[in-house]
Amino acid sequence: MQMRLDKFLADAGIGTRSEVKSIIKRKSVTINGICAAKPETKITPDADEIAVNGSIVGMRGSVTYMLHKPAGYVCAVKDECFPTVMELVPQHRDLFPVGRLDKDTEGLLLITNDGMMAHRMLSPRNHVDKTYLAVLEHPAEKEYADLFSAGVDIGDETPTLPGRFVICDDNSRELAYLPEEYCACAGSGRVVHLTIQEGRYHQVKRMFQAVGNEVIYLKRLSFGALVLPISLKKGEAVLCNPQ
Ligand code: URA
């Protein structure tokens, strides 16, 4: 059965009818890999592959893995130069990473074929928390908490949304995730965690640069309600069910 593209996207929860019209106008929607030009275009949901910003919408039989991403892997389906995170999950048609971690960043990464879930988790409008553990080059200043909660200018058109910043102390449970080579930094003010609700390019690194510091190690500990299990080793993946 055929239906209009904008109705399909609205029914799939991507946005209201007028929101999906503007998403289509921004050329963010593809039908079988070809950019969709008009909201009224007729599609066949069972046969056509509809994607928003590259994420497939409306797949049946969705599957999601939580991967403990090691450093050295890129978050892409294919790459000419580096190993990709797709090599670390069972082969399955249509899987893709939900957002990106930098090549040198470790931690929780979702890999899925569920475009709607990916969109829900990534949209800044949904305010999904992402918590990162970082080791800094210099001890953190207490003022970072106020600076980050006000939003920081990282050189984009708009400042970041507010972030929640904490300097780890000896009792912080986040220290359980700290690699051995950085354990000596615990208690020096250089081990911190930051929770943000966006996923801009190099966002955490740029936020610390904006306050005069530098990230030397970065790991994502949680994404929405999902927390990286301490028992999940680097490079291992488990099936999960993000709500
Ligand atoms: N922020 C960064 O700077 N890098 C990441 O990989 C994730 C968030």
Side-chain angles (χ1 to χ4, degrees):
M1 194 191 67
Q2 285 207 315
M3 69 191 294
R4 281 173 61 119
L5 176 62
D6 56 352
K7 178 164 178 7
F8 170 79
L9 291 171
D11 288 354
I14 299 299
T16 62
R17 206 67 177 257
S18 64
E19 284 168 344
V20 300
K21 278 182 181 149
S22 68
I23 295 174
I24 296 166
K25 278 199 192 119
R26 287 203 304 270
K27 305 207 180 320
S28 300
V29 179
T30 54
I31 304 171
N32 301 322
I34 294 164
C35 189
K38 294 184 188 156
E40 63 270 25
T41 305
K42 287 280 197 302
I43 58 138
T44 308
D46 285 342
D48 292 324
E49 188 184 81
I50 314 300
V52 178
N53 293 325
S55 299
I56 297 163
V57 177
M59 289 281 304
R60 275 184 263 142
S62 67
V63 55
T64 302
Y65 292 97
M66 183 198 294
L67 170 69
H68 185 162
K69 178 192 174 298
Y73 287 77
V74 292
C75 291
V77 173
K78 271 192 204 146
D79 194 88
E80 299 289 316
C81 304
F82 300 107
T84 77
V85 290
M86 307 310 292
E87 295 168 29
L88 300 171
V89 291
Q91 293 306 301
H92 192 292
R93 202 180 138 254
D94 296 328
L95 288 178
F96 60 92
V98 179
R100 276 165 205 262
L101 293 176
D102 298 334
K103 182 164 146 273
D104 60 352
T105 301
E106 300 176 350
L108 193 166
L109 179 76
L110 297 180
I111 297 184
T112 191
N113 61 359
D114 184 343
M116 279 198 294
M117 180 278 292
H119 187 267
R120 205 172 56 237
M121 297 291 281
L122 292 174
S123 171
R125 300 170 79 198
N126 291 336
H127 298 276
V128 176
D129 281 345
K130 300 166 189 112
T131 298
Y132 294 87
L133 175 71
V135 179
L136 304 177
E137 188 172 356
H138 309 291
E141 307 285 343
K142 292 224 169 63
E143 304 85 86
Y144 291 2
D146 289 338
L147 293 169
F148 290 148
S149 74
V152 225
D153 179 357
I154 57 171
D156 291 344
E157 271 177 21
T158 53
T160 63
L161 290 175
R164 294 195 304 278
F165 170 80
V166 176
I167 302 176
C168 292
D169 62 25
D170 291 345
N171 300 319
S172 300
R173 54 189 169 75
E174 288 79 8
L175 291 181
Y177 294 96
L178 197 62
E180 222 175 291
E181 62 264 40
Y182 294 112
C183 283
C185 304
S188 67
R190 291 170 57 207
V191 184
V192 300
H193 55 96
L194 176 64
T195 302
I196 58 174
Q197 297 179 332
E198 298 165 286
R200 302 189 195 183
Y201 182 66
H202 293 336
Q203 180 161 345
V204 173
K205 293 173 184 165
R206 289 160 71 208
M207 287 174 75
F208 283 104
Q209 277 163 1
V211 296
N213 214 320
E214 203 68 45
V215 171
I216 59 171
Y217 170 80
L218 190 61
K219 181 175 206 114
R220 183 156 67 193
L221 305 185
S222 65
F223 190 4
L226 297 169
V227 178
L228 186 69
I230 291 278
S231 57
L232 191 66
K233 299 201 176 73
K234 277 186 219 174
E236 283 182 357
V238 281
L239 278 170
C240 72
N241 186 18
Q243 290 305 327

